[in-house]
Amino acid sequence: MTTPIDNMRVNGARLWDSLEEMATTGPGLRGGCNRQTLTDADAKGRALFKTWGEAAGMTLGIDKIGTMFFTRPGTDPNALPVYVGSHLDTQPTGGKYDGVLGVLSALEVVRSLNDLDVKTRHPIVVVNWTNEEGGRFAPAMLASGVFAGVHSLDYAYSRKDLDGKVFGDELKRIGWLGEEEVGARKMHAYFEYHIEQGPILEAENKQIGVVTHCQGLWWLEFTLTGKEAHTGSTPMNMRVNAGLAMTRIFELVQKVAMDSQPNAVGGVGQVKFSPNSRNVLPGTVIFTVDIRSPEQEKLDRMRALIEAEAPKLCDPLGVKCSVEVVGHFDPITFDPTAAKVAPATMIMCPCVDGLSHNEDEKITPEWAAAGADVLLHAVLETAEIVA
């Protein structure tokens, strides 16, 4: 007898076990994960996911930017697929659930439908996007950006990490370069399940959130050029200190973000000193400013202020300042008529203290399963159960 739709649930214990097992690929130093995109750890995580997807009876397609698409057939060969997924790559000191929850919950949806012998008219495709985090290669959401036509494939292939390694070369090296044209697939709808990365759901004692808007962002990469000199013998008034200029720009970013409240944030997460020696003033400092807001005018005003004021802070120190945009997205309203590719919805799971991009990131098995159940029913409704 077919299980009534209202009573259908995912196997929460199996989902949690999968999350814990995936976390063993690219483990962090204190319980989290370091599975940065296109590393050997990423390749290992992809291989594990491939094993699970094939065991669930799905077929794998890989496009030219390495995104993995696992397909569960529908009964109607002409019906467009319902896509569900997120990303398996993490930050260098990432948690076990950011992105991964969405991919493995999508897999669990398919596993549960198999258990219940449920067929759908539309195919269901489980997705693992390449380089969503942007921690190693900027910008973030690179593969999905190429898929949506925001970036070219050549642009993606040319991205470099801080060590000068090239995205296209690393994709080939780990063995996950596919042959499928990026963006050739058509979607009926897209769902993504993700941890909140904020404190609101937990504070309000809610297990489920649905995204209505996404913040826009600018990633501004600053290159400050000073003069390398001995830290112990160079007189203070004769220094051309790129590190000092950097700290003043840090303060500028903080002030611009605070003056733009509410609904605005700004900070710096990545810095590279050269030569990065204890007793040498840096000749070059490269760092990325990350500013975000759901309000377009505010976001652009913050960028303009930072770009206008930063050189004024550097000039008195004799430091040269250049800025390059390495990532940008306008604010997005989750409205089916506004999506670039297909109607899209994001479901959110609470996380303890809103902590994310941190090895101490935590969720509970109950939270994970509750959101996966919502995902299951959303997919069933959209993919259309066949009696």
Side-chain angles (χ1 to χ4, degrees):
M1 182 176 69
T2 303
T3 304
I5 294 176
D6 291 344
N7 295 331
M8 289 184 185
R9 297 289 184 271
V10 300
N11 185 328
R14 180 171 57 196
L15 170 59
W16 193 255
D17 287 345
S18 298
L19 289 166
E20 292 297 307
E21 186 172 350
M22 181 59 72
T24 65
T25 67
L29 298 176
R30 60 175 199 276
C33 290
N34 181 4
R35 194 170 51 250
Q36 297 177 68
T37 196
L38 307 190
T39 59
D40 292 343
D42 181 24
K44 186 177 178 182
R46 288 166 174 263
L48 178 59
F49 178 52
K50 179 175 183 287
T51 299
W52 288 340
E54 290 175 343
M58 294 187 288
T59 56
L60 176 61
I62 305 170
D63 68 12
K64 290 182 177 180
I65 201 167
T67 296
M68 303 172 69
F69 300 97
F70 264 119
T71 302
R72 183 183 197 256
T75 61
D76 182 351
N78 297 315
L80 291 177
V82 174
Y83 283 68
V84 200
S86 192
H87 60 95
L88 293 176
D89 68 311
T90 75
Q91 292 289 336
T93 54
K96 297 191 288 187
Y97 312 108
D98 177 356
V100 185
L101 176 65
V103 176
L104 299 188
S105 292
L107 172 64
E108 178 54 37
V109 165
V110 170
R111 286 170 163 174
S112 296
L113 294 182
N114 290 345
D115 292 344
L116 299 168
D117 194 26
V118 171
K119 295 179 175 59
T120 58
R121 186 172 78 84
H122 292 262
I124 297 170
V125 178
V126 177
V127 188
N128 169 37
W129 299 103
T130 300
N131 192 52
E132 284 292 282
E133 284 289 2
R136 184 181 179 199
F137 296 99
M141 297 176 277
L142 186 60
S144 56
V146 176
F147 189 98
V150 176
H151 310 298
S152 71
L153 186 59
D154 286 342
Y155 170 83
Y157 283 165
S158 70
R159 299 302 87 201
K160 294 182 180 180
D161 67 9
L162 286 177
D163 296 323
K165 293 182 178 178
V166 180
F167 183 99
D169 295 341
E170 289 293 274
L171 180 59
K172 292 177 183 177
R173 183 188 67 81
I174 68 166
W176 286 91
L177 172 64
E179 297 182 355
E180 185 178 305
E181 294 297 327
V182 183
R185 291 169 171 262
K186 304 302 180 185
M187 297 183 181
H188 180 57
Y190 178 79
F191 292 97
E192 182 159 345
Y193 181 31
H194 206 281
I195 64 169
E196 184 189 10
Q197 300 182 293
I200 296 173
L201 291 177
E202 184 189 24
E204 296 184 358
N205 197 29
K206 294 180 179 178
Q207 287 190 321
I208 304 295
V210 177
V211 176
T212 58
H213 297 76
C214 276
Q215 297 185 104
L217 69 82
W218 286 104
W219 281 0
L220 309 175
E221 184 174 274
F222 280 76
T223 300
L224 306 184
T225 306
K227 182 184 293 185
E228 295 171 16
H230 198 298
T231 57
S233 58
T234 307
M236 297 298 290
N237 65 343
M238 296 179 67
R239 299 180 177 207
V240 185
N241 192 343
L244 178 59
M246 177 198 72
T247 63
R248 294 182 178 178
I249 295 174
F250 282 14
E251 290 286 354
L252 168 66
V253 173
Q254 176 75 8
K255 184 178 187 304
V256 168
M258 292 302 295
D259 290 347
S260 301
Q261 296 304 300
N263 300 325
V265 295
V268 176
Q270 186 178 73
V271 180
K272 184 177 182 180
F273 270 53
S274 177
N276 199 29
S277 176
R278 289 182 178 87
N279 59 346
V280 181
L281 295 173
T284 305
V285 179
I286 300 172
F287 60 92
T288 303
V289 171
D290 183 336
I291 51 175
R292 308 189 188 206
S293 174
E295 302 172 33
Q296 184 76 59
E297 186 276 334
K298 184 175 289 186
L299 178 69
D300 292 341
R301 185 175 71 247
M302 291 169 65
R303 177 199 173 186
L305 279 170
I306 292 170
E307 288 190 335
E309 295 300 318
K312 298 177 184 178
L313 299 174
C314 296
D315 286 346
L317 303 173
V319 173
K320 295 180 181 179
C321 174
S322 65
V323 186
E324 178 186 358
V325 174
V326 294
H328 170 62
F329 299 98
D330 287 335
I332 296 170
T333 298
F334 271 76
D335 180 335
T337 62
K340 288 183 178 294
V341 176
T345 296
M346 286 192 75
I347 301 165
M348 288 296 189
C349 166
C351 56
V352 175
D353 295 330
L355 191 64
S356 181
H357 288 184
N358 187 306
E359 291 201 54
D360 294 329
E361 174 186 282
K362 293 180 182 177
I363 65 174
T364 70
E366 293 75 22
W367 290 346
D373 284 337
V374 173
L375 186 67
L376 171 66
H377 285 267
V379 171
L380 282 174
E381 182 176 332
T382 311
E384 301 175 23
I385 288 182
V386 176

